[in-house]
Amino acid sequence: MARRECLKFAKTPNKDNDSHLLYQKDGFLARIILNRAEKYNAFSLPMIRKWAEALQDAQDDQTIRVIVVTAKGKAFSAGGDIEAMANGKGFVGCDDQGETWGDKAIDRKRALTNHVHKVALTLEMMDKPVICGINGIAIGAGLDMALMCDIRVAAEDAQLSAGYVKAGIVPGDGGAFYLPRLVGVAKALEILWTGDYISASEAKEIGMINKVVPAQELEQATLELARKIAESPPVCVQMIKRAVYSAQRTNDLRTALDLISSQMAIVSEMSDHKEGLKALIEKRKPIFTGQ
């Protein structure tokens, strides 16, 4: 693979690049915060790597019940790095050795499959809720990253665009998979073919967004929703997510009912079930432990 004029990082990842994404834990919540505001949170290789690693850590950590994805600055994410692409450095610029991922078609495919797609594939196997707070613009793969979360809260001034077609490329991060499932095939094709911007209010109307709030209230509203879900019995929440997504992949009612009956049998033996019943009878707020 040829090397281009590209910043060459030390073999140990540089702290500035690590900071392209922040990962924090707060009680039952894990927070993934995009932190490349000067580039409108466009992807970098350190950002994408840490994103997938953070998701895996949140899935493995039994104290974490809900994951929240937000961003610093005026944009959620501009997706692929346009400057890197224009300079022949691929979708995510250079790796930690200063080596590019854009010289050949196979290199660009590997950049997607080995790095960018790891976020989508890690999310797909997660049974914990993932909530996205969208500020400002979400374009191309940045929009795709929001669409692959379970719930989306957007600021009133957020602007969403598939955007790929305007750069002469196709939706490389799952947009053609997620978007039709949210808005239907015809509307998805319109959005993907035109690349037009969609306001937060229109996005809510067509099912891309769950909730729209004033920009200054976005973080608070996103975290409040996350904490509300985190207060629910975590095993039930995870099983509900699995049941809903499994049902989208099969038209067989018997298979869906077989799964849910097995889940019901398991949760009905848990302490959380007994606590929920007791709290309802005593007219108080339940305290669920995941047991």
Side-chain angles (χ1 to χ4, degrees), residues 14-215:
N14 145 329
K15 290 183 179 179
D16 291 336
N17 285 307
D18 279 350
S19 69
H20 288 180
L21 184 143
L22 307 177
Y23 180 48
Q24 304 168 352
K25 295 181 183 180
D26 178 14
F28 293 137
L29 304 186
R31 297 190 61 187
I32 294 172
I33 305 169
L34 308 187
N35 191 40
R36 203 185 181 204
E38 75 285 357
K39 291 284 190 178
Y40 297 99
N41 294 310
F43 296 168
S44 69
L45 197 55
M47 175 195 284
I48 293 299
R49 282 177 173 165
K50 195 167 183 180
W51 200 333
E53 290 168 1
L55 288 170
Q56 186 63 60
D57 180 84
Q59 173 66 13
D60 294 340
D61 187 338
Q62 294 306 303
T63 67
I64 297 301
R65 298 185 182 182
V66 179
I67 297 90
V68 177
V69 183
T70 55
K72 297 281 190 180
K74 298 180 179 180
F76 175 71
S77 176
D81 191 322
I82 298 297
E83 290 185 5
M85 286 187 266
N87 292 325
K89 298 171 185 174
F91 307 116
V92 291
C94 306
D95 66 13
D96 298 332
Q97 312 303 315
E99 204 159 18
T100 69
W101 290 85
D103 291 324
K104 300 177 182 178
I106 191 61
D107 298 328
R108 294 188 289 276
K109 177 177 174 60
R110 286 171 179 157
L112 291 173
T113 57
N114 294 346
H115 298 289
V116 179
H117 291 172
K118 280 189 177 179
V119 175
L121 293 173
T122 304
L123 274 169
E124 199 219 4
M125 67 85 185
M126 293 186 72
D127 50 12
K128 297 179 181 180
V130 183
I131 301 175
C132 180
I134 305 174
N135 58 305
I137 59 170
I139 308 174
L143 175 60
D144 292 349
M145 290 294 204
L147 296 181
M148 62 183 70
C149 296
D150 300 308
I151 294 176
R152 286 155 295 282
V153 181
E156 286 177 336
D157 59 356
Q159 294 284 319
L160 315 180
S161 170
Y164 292 102
V165 71
K166 292 188 175 181
I169 51 179
V170 296
D173 196 20
F177 180 89
Y178 296 104
L179 194 55
R181 285 165 168 76
L182 292 171
V183 304
V185 171
K187 190 63 179 178
L189 286 172
E190 177 190 340
I191 292 168
L192 291 167
W193 281 339
T194 64
D196 289 344
Y197 280 95
I198 300 170
S199 68
S201 58
E202 181 185 352
K204 184 175 183 294
E205 288 178 8
I206 63 176
M208 291 174 71
I209 299 297
N210 296 75
K211 187 176 183 180
V212 178
V213 299

Side-chain angles (χ1 to χ4, degrees), residues 246-259:
S246 294
Q248 306 308 303
R249 298 183 178 95
T250 178
N251 294 319
D252 180 16
L253 176 61
R254 185 175 295 276
T255 299
L257 293 178
D258 182 58
L259 172 61

Side-chain angles (χ1 to χ4, degrees), residues 199-235:
S199 68
S201 58
E202 181 185 352
K204 184 175 183 294
E205 288 178 8
I206 63 176
M208 291 174 71
I209 299 297
N210 296 75
K211 187 176 183 180
V212 178
V213 299
Q216 66 272 19
E217 298 176 14
L218 177 63
E219 182 175 13
Q220 178 183 352
T222 305
L223 291 175
E224 282 181 357
L225 178 57
R227 291 189 179 108
K228 183 175 184 179
I229 295 172
E231 290 176 350
S232 300
V235 175

